[in-house]
Every structure is written in C-alpha cells, then in structure tokens.
Amino acid sequence: MSETPLILWFRRDLRLGDQPMLAAAVASGRPVVPVFLLDPETEALGAAAKWRLGLSVAAFATALEGIGLRLTLRRGAALDALRALVVETGAGGVWWSRLYDPASVARDTGVKAALKAEGREARSFAGHLLHEPWDVETGTGGPYRVFTPYWKTVRGRGVPAPAPAPAPGRMRAPAVWPESDRLADWRLGAAMNRGAAVVLPYQAVGEAAALDRLRRFLDGPVDGYVEARNLPAVPGTSRLSENLTYGEIGIRAVWHAGVRARDEGRAGAESFLRELAWREFAYHLMHHYPQITHANWKPDWDSFPWRGDSPDAERWRRGMTGERFVDAAMREMYVTGTMHNRARMIAASYLTKHLLTHWKVGLDWFADCLTDWDPAANAMGWQWVAGSGPDAAPYFRVFNPAGQAEKFDPAAAYQRRYIAEMSRDPGPEALAYFKAVPRSWGLDPGAGYPAPILDLSKGRARALAAYGARNA
C-alpha cells in the first residue's frame, strides 16, 4: 500500500458504483484526490448541458463526502491544472475515464503524453461504454458501418470483466486537501437565464435518482416499451439518457439490469437493450469516423443544396412553425430540457426535409438546448434523419408531421400538453414554455397560433425533387 496519492480526474463519470476507475483506486489502497476541471472543452458546452452538468457535479461532491472524500474544483487548461495539483498534493499519478468525442480525445492524448514524459503515471479507464469502440470489429476486421450486424455481434457478447462494482463504503483521503474553487463562482447556469427555474423540476440529478429511475422503469413500463416508446404522451421510456450523459449511472449496470429483465421474460427488455446498443453504435462510429460530429458522414452529400440559417429555421427554433407536432416537440425541450425520441425525429425531419435546412443548424441548436445532449447520439441522429449519415433513413422517407401525430398522438394529448394556443384553459407545461424562452422573442400565449410555414405536401414534393436530383 502506497502513501502517494492518486488524482482521479472525473468528467462524465459522476457516480460511485459501476465505476472501473474508482474500483481500481480502492484496490490500490492509495489516498485519492477527486478532481473536476472546468477546462476549455467543458466551457464550450451548450447552455443547457453546462447548467445540467453543474447540478451533477454538486450531487457528486455530496456523494463523495459520504465516503470521506472532497471534490476539488479547478478552472483552466487541463494539463496546467493537473500539473499544479500534482505538485500541491505530491500525487504519483493521474487517472481518468475515457471520453471519445474528437475534442476530448485530443485533450486527453496531449495530457497523457505530457504527464508520462515528466515521469508521471497517467492512466485511462473504460466506463462510459459497454465495449470500447476498437474492440468490436466485423468478421473481416475494421469497424461496423451498419447497425443491424453491429447489434447482432454486441447482443451475443457478455459485458467485459470485471462485473460492475458497488459503490465503495469508505476511501482513503490525502493528508492535506488542495484548495478548491467554489462551484457557484463558475456560474455554469448563467446562459440559461430564467429557463433554469422552469427546467429544474424535470431533472433527476445524481446517482441515487438515476438508479431509482432505472428501477421504476424495469418494475413496469418496460413491459410495454415496444409500443409505448413511440408515444410521446405516454411515460413509456426509461428517461435515462440524461443520467447516462453525465455518467450518473453506469451503462454496464443498466445493461445487466436489462438482461435480467429479458431473462425474466419482460416483453420490452430486448427492445430496450437494442436501444442501449444504438447508443454504443453512435460512439463506435464517432471513434472511427470523428468527422461525423461536424461534416456529412457520406462525402457525396457535400454538394447537396442545403439551406443555411433562415427565418424559417428561426420559427422552427421558437416552436412556431404552425405544425403542432413539431412545435410541441420544440416546446417540450424548452420546458423539460429533453425531447421524446419520436418527436426528435419529426422535428429533425421537418427542418432538414420540409425546410431543406442543413442538419448542422439543428444539431447546434439541440447542443445548446438539451440537458441530455450527447455528442455521438446527437450527431448520428441528425445525420440519420437528414440522409447524410450511416444507416440513414432513405431519402424518400419524409416524415409527415400531421400523419405522425395521427399515428403516435391520436388524441393530441402531447400537443395540447405543450401548446397553450390549442386550449382555452392551457395547462402549466404549455404556459411554462412562455416563461422559459428568451424575453427577446416577445412571445405571448394570447397572441394566437401561427399559420404553417408551408403546405406539407408541397414541402415534401420540394424535398423529393432535391433528393431525387442528387440520387439521379
């Protein structure tokens, strides 16, 4: 057992259980200094994601206190902050859990190289995914490009050892704690303005809340998941995307629980596992094709005549397109911080196909507004809908918002929940939209609902003409 402390650099792994890095630190017997850094890569997060991250950091700091530790907060470039902490604490090494987006990979590669060159231990761990992206290959070698064969491969695999470890009961603290910033001084929620108070009640923050969310889902809703996951008015999904984003729950623990439910004969468990694998596939692609986050995955789409930002796109952003399913989706995001998956597809299809707007306009807006924003899932989802990505929807699949509403929200319950103009006596969530959005938009529930931007059939015909010309 060494008395030399370890610095544990936490990022999107803000939990105690199913935490490979933490389990290894426990096994080492060494004192640990948990650290969270507000570095430029983290500063670059969108308004909602940065605010929600702050809530997660606060909850994690409290959890660490329960096992005898403190979370040290520092602001600045990661390498500079870590070097300073190594000197202050006499730490013999820096450990962290891996991330896979291009900016994090570049940062972490530089940090590891520099620390090792200085004779420091620098070690990264798995933990954000079930399988490391480089560990899943086709039969001939190389990455998968299509989901179905990827799913068949992953479905038959067990989760790599060791099994998810429980939260430690107590850990060794250093002899002296380093100084820490105050989380409040970082003002991570500043850009949310008045929207933060509206969105806050819909967040399930921290590990305990995430585990409770998983338990409640598997205790009931999972049975109807196959159908209910497409019904935005029904609480039929796990809603774990928020917690997985910040690592408040481990994906391995979720997978094991889903497998147990499947083995017990729960009807929707297999479909739930498939959705977890879809998240994995997004990371698999982002690792092997990092350009997916900012450029067409299929380069031959570079010449497609996308529209840039426009007044039409601004009406889409404001939930004022005149298409109720689309607008309900956008307003749900402003009120709750998230958006139902079926609604995301409809909102994205309308922007990219009916309005022929570049998918990156939508991707960037979601990155700013979603509390469950995920770099891989957001990129793959937008390119899937637009047609430019892997496993993409065929170019001729143009989701009709009205038809989708009839199929998946036949009683218009979802639409009425978020669109105040549909009712003489709108509910609190519909009115909350007007409290959440910027005052500069000048929106008033009494002003009336806007007419549609364009006729859906004409929009579809225009999209098919553009897509058809590209595929001619």
Side-chain angles (χ1 to χ4, degrees), residues 84-109:
L85 283 164
V86 165
V87 172
E88 293 171 35
T89 62
V94 180
W95 292 3
W96 61 86
S97 300
R98 295 183 198 110
L99 294 174
Y100 307 89
D101 61 283
S104 294
V105 169
R107 173 195 61 198
D108 296 353
T109 300

Side-chain angles (χ1 to χ4, degrees), residues 193-442:
N193 295 311
R194 62 178 185 162
V198 175
V199 175
L200 180 60
Y202 298 91
Q203 309 307 299
V205 181
E207 187 171 10
L211 291 169
D212 183 62
R213 200 174 238 179
L214 174 63
R215 178 191 57 76
R216 286 186 283 110
F217 172 68
L218 294 179
D219 280 350
V222 70
D223 291 321
Y225 182 73
V226 174
E227 293 78 23
R229 61 181 293 270
N230 282 308
L231 306 176
V234 174
T237 63
S238 74
R239 300 186 65 193
L240 286 170
S241 60
E242 169 195 355
N243 308 109
L244 287 167
T245 289
Y246 304 100
E248 294 173 339
I249 192 169
I251 184 63
R252 295 149 59 92
V254 177
W255 181 267
H256 276 278
V259 169
R260 285 195 300 271
R262 182 189 65 189
D263 293 346
E264 292 168 0
R266 307 300 292 274
E270 178 78 3
S271 182
F272 176 59
L273 293 172
R274 183 181 174 94
E275 292 305 308
L276 296 179
W278 180 255
R279 172 183 180 268
E280 291 279 307
F281 184 55
Y283 275 89
H284 179 84
L285 291 171
M286 185 172 67
H287 168 76
H288 291 288
Y289 309 100
Q291 72 273 14
I292 195 174
T293 61
H294 59 272
N296 292 316
W297 189 75
K298 299 174 181 174
D300 57 342
W301 279 80
D302 291 349
S303 61
F304 187 78
W306 300 110
R307 300 170 71 195
D309 210 342
S310 69
D312 289 346
E314 182 62 22
R315 283 185 59 179
W316 174 84
R317 275 193 288 265
R318 297 186 182 193
M320 287 288 182
T321 67
E323 295 299 334
R324 290 177 175 177
F325 203 166
V326 174
D327 293 341
M330 300 301 290
R331 297 184 188 198
E332 178 191 14
M333 179 168 65
Y334 302 133
V335 172
T336 71
T338 62
M339 186 188 295
H340 190 276
N341 189 62
R342 170 60 56 173
R344 294 188 198 209
M345 289 192 289
I346 305 312
S349 177
Y350 182 80
L351 181 70
T352 58
K353 293 184 174 176
H354 281 92
L355 299 184
L356 281 181
T357 301
H358 199 296
W359 56 265
K360 200 167 184 306
V361 173
L363 176 141
D364 289 343
W365 189 242
F366 274 22
D368 203 38
C369 298
L370 287 171
T371 57
D372 67 349
W373 175 78
D374 177 280
N378 196 38
M380 187 171 71
W382 273 98
Q383 294 219 47
W384 181 87
V385 170
S388 59
D391 250 32
Y395 76 87
F396 50 79
R397 180 183 293 168
V398 180
F399 290 109
N400 182 306
Q404 291 283 303
E406 290 177 6
K407 185 175 182 181
F408 298 112
D409 189 32
Y414 176 70
Q415 296 161 77
R416 285 197 303 272
R417 182 181 300 169
Y418 293 107
I419 300 180
E421 301 94 317
M422 290 181 67
S423 174
R424 292 182 179 178
D425 185 23
E429 289 172 309
L431 293 173
Y433 158 73
F434 295 92
K435 298 177 182 178
V437 298
R439 289 186 178 89
S440 62
W441 288 5

